[in-house]
Amino acid sequence: ANLFRVVIDRPHAGRKCLMVDNTGSGPEGSGAKPIQVLSDPIPVEPWKVYELRGFLRMTGGAEDPKYGHAMIDIEFFDAHKKTLNLRGPLNGSYGEELSTNYYVSETGDEWYEVHYPMITPRRARFVRIIPNVNFGRAKAWFDDIRVVPLDVNAPAAAGRR
């Protein structure tokens, strides 16, 4: 089964988008476990403010509101591309607390803009983008996902890791 693939099914922009399907009948693709798609590591500067931006549309989440979620997650890596074990946008006062609660439960098959700021930890040199569909039986499309540097200074207490 193709749990994810690049498709030409109504992309937000351009001619293609990524589709993640967790609606199949087997143990994978049946909502039994999350389906994640991992990007290649993207270079970032340490101790800098970025914004993750993208679009997603989803179907099936309304039928399973507790678990039928889609989201765009992130993961940070050091200069050797070893994980820092930090996932999700940094939003704590010390830049250490991570939140992965940017779930989208249903969009009625319409495109929904997702964007959130993040502060790269002092050891971060790469970030990976992870579009995913959680446990619920749902299907999501992702498009135009990018990490954009913002022209603001990181708070003095953040990013101590």
Side-chain angles (χ1 to χ4, degrees):
N2 290 326
L3 302 178
F4 60 89
R5 62 186 178 273
V6 175
V7 297
I8 57 171
D9 182 18
R10 289 184 39 232
H12 177 263
R15 297 184 349 205
K16 299 177 183 176
C17 60
L18 173 70
M19 188 269 301
V20 179
D21 185 351
N22 205 7
T23 61
S25 60
E28 291 189 14
S30 64
K33 63 181 182 177
I35 297 175
Q36 303 179 341
V37 181
L38 308 177
S39 77
D40 290 333
I42 300 164
V44 292
E45 294 179 39
W47 193 226
K48 188 166 174 79
V49 180
Y50 289 84
E51 184 172 62
L52 178 109
R53 297 177 186 168
F55 290 85
L56 72 86
R57 66 182 170 94
M58 181 177 182
T59 60
E63 288 126 36
D64 189 359
K66 184 173 181 182
Y67 295 110
H69 308 293
M71 70 176 298
I72 304 170
D73 201 355
I74 58 172
E75 182 177 17
F76 291 106
F77 296 88
D78 68 12
H80 304 288
K81 296 184 181 175
K82 291 183 71 174
T83 183
L84 296 179
N85 292 317
L86 296 172
R87 287 184 65 166
L90 291 169
N91 68 353
S93 59
Y94 295 102
E96 296 170 345
E97 297 174 27
L98 299 178
S99 173
T100 55
N101 62 354
Y102 290 91
Y103 289 115
V104 175
S105 295
E106 180 65 51
T107 69
D109 202 24
E110 297 297 324
W111 286 105
Y112 177 82
E113 185 174 11
V114 175
H115 53 90
Y116 56 81
M118 59 186 175
I119 302 167
T120 53
R122 68 176 172 79
R123 295 183 349 203
R125 299 299 183 276
F126 296 94
V127 66
R128 173 180 283 161
I129 298 171
I130 310 169
N132 68 72
V133 174
N134 204 357
F135 292 96
R137 293 176 57 91
K139 187 184 290 189
W141 294 259
F142 300 87
D143 204 359
D144 301 324
I145 302 171
R146 61 208 177 279
V147 175
V148 179
L150 299 180
D151 189 20
V152 295
N153 292 324
R160 292 185 178 168
R161 287 188 148 185

